[in-house]
Amino acid sequence: MTADWPRSSGRGEWLRLAMAHSDTLRLPEPILGGFGPDARSLLSSPCRVNPGFVSYLERKYHKVVHLVDFMAACGATGSAEAVVEACEVFASGSARQWLKIAGDEKAILVDSYLIARPDRAPGVVAEFGAFVGYSCVRMARRADTAGRPCRVVSLEADAVHVAVARHTAREGRQSMAVEVWPGLAHDSVRRLADEWGHDSVAFAFMDHRGTRFHCELAALQRLRLLPPGAQFLADNTLKPGAPVLLWNFEHMPSPAPAAAINWSVPEFISSSCEDWMTAWDGCL
């Protein structure tokens, strides 16, 4: 079944501005700054909202809102290194500021599999779960400094996280290399095939929902998006966990192309908390 709908740039600008000026959630002014000078005229008068819903959203998004404020306050702009460092410094501040990002030892693993991806066009890096844009900006910059620039496409279901991740990419001067696509992964993954074609995803990094990792990997395989030698890495396969993905890797039909590896690594800024990152390069 094919879904199609007309696109309207005017309505798109109105929607983005409505998100930025929402009565239910305050997004900092830097977010609004990326929508263009004429966007304000597209916003209609605000509507009433349930105070309980406002409180829910404040609890859910207060960290990402404060992160954007922190980035603006410390002048983290103009380079990927600046915004990546700002995210890490903010997350190190206190328990209320901790962010579940793939930093420290996890970042080293991401770098190693990113560099090990096959050197073939188009060589897209697909990230499942943008969150605040930390990993997609970091991967784009790391690939560039290694002399192997790539296009990073990050799929994100949460509209607020999409806005924040795009802001992070813009402040890090990585908008030419990073795209953040809104929508559920099982829908957005088809767009990868539409826009980039078969054998286009050289590295897939999953960090969105462990109970969906096996579904998204199966979709990548079914759509023939993974070329020979493609690298696969999934975060948080121990906590919160990805039991079906691990079971599938453990019970692959013999002979399997390659065995999966479970790397035991500490959580970012939490050395006492063990987690796993699961890697697989069996895309032969």
Side-chain angles (χ1 to χ4, degrees):
M1 178 176 176
T2 302
D4 191 18
W5 61 89
R7 295 184 179 182
S8 168
S9 60
R11 293 297 294 177
E13 288 297 313
W14 178 89
L15 177 60
R16 287 192 288 271
L17 183 62
M19 288 169 53
H21 271 183
S22 171
D23 281 354
T24 58
L25 175 69
R26 180 193 69 81
L27 286 186
E29 196 65 22
I31 296 290
L32 183 60
F35 297 149
D38 299 326
R40 296 179 184 275
S41 63
L42 300 170
L43 182 63
S44 60
S45 60
C47 59
R48 298 181 190 175
V49 293
N50 187 313
F53 187 56
V54 174
S55 176
Y56 162 76
L57 288 180
E58 288 177 349
R59 291 195 305 271
K60 182 176 181 180
Y61 295 112
H62 75 276
K63 286 186 181 181
V64 297
V65 170
H66 292 164
L67 170 63
V68 176
D69 284 337
F70 178 80
M71 291 169 59
C74 68
T77 185
S79 71
E81 290 83 357
V83 297
V84 165
E85 182 180 6
C87 290
E88 295 172 346
V89 171
F90 175 84
S92 306
S94 69
R96 285 182 56 81
Q97 295 179 201
W98 183 77
L99 299 172
K100 195 171 180 61
I101 56 177
D104 290 345
E105 286 87 345
K106 288 189 173 185
I108 296 173
L109 269 177
V110 172
D111 287 349
S112 64
Y113 285 95
L114 173 70
I115 300 305
R117 73 190 192 280
D119 190 10
R120 55 183 295 166
V124 174
V125 172
E127 179 189 33
F128 292 75
F131 192 28
V132 296
Y134 170 86
S135 291
C136 57
V137 169
R138 192 181 185 283
M139 287 190 292
R141 181 57 180 163
R142 181 69 181 89
D144 187 52
T145 56
R148 298 181 60 197
C150 64
R151 176 62 60 89
V152 179
V153 176
S154 189
L155 314 181
E156 175 57 57
D158 190 297
V160 173
H161 292 165
V162 169
V164 173
R166 287 175 174 174
H167 169 73
T168 302
R170 184 172 66 249
E171 292 302 298
R173 302 297 187 266
Q174 296 298 314
S175 294
M176 294 295 292
V178 173
E179 296 182 36
V180 183
W181 292 356
L184 296 174
H186 65 264
D187 293 325
S188 301
V189 70
R190 298 182 178 90
R191 184 177 167 189
L192 284 170
D194 290 342
E195 297 202 9
W196 295 97
H198 294 164
D199 296 340
S200 57
V201 177
F203 175 44
F205 176 51
M206 295 192 179
D207 192 17
H208 59 313
R209 180 174 296 179
T211 54
R212 291 284 311 176
F213 287 171
H214 63 288
C215 300
E216 268 62 89
L217 177 57
L220 290 171
Q221 294 173 313
R222 183 174 63 255
L223 294 169
R224 297 168 55 194
L225 285 165
L226 299 173
Q231 302 295 306
F232 172 87
L233 184 65
D235 193 10
N236 306 315
T237 55
L238 178 62
K239 295 179 182 178
V244 178
L245 176 76
L246 298 182
W247 191 95
N248 287 347
F249 281 145
E250 180 66 22
H251 295 85
M252 282 183 177
S254 182
I261 302 174
N262 293 316
W263 295 95
S264 174
V265 290
E267 280 287 5
F268 178 65
I269 312 296
S270 184
S271 58
S272 62
C273 182
E274 180 190 8
D275 194 13
W276 291 356
M277 297 186 84
T278 300
W280 184 57
D281 59 358
C283 310
L284 302 178

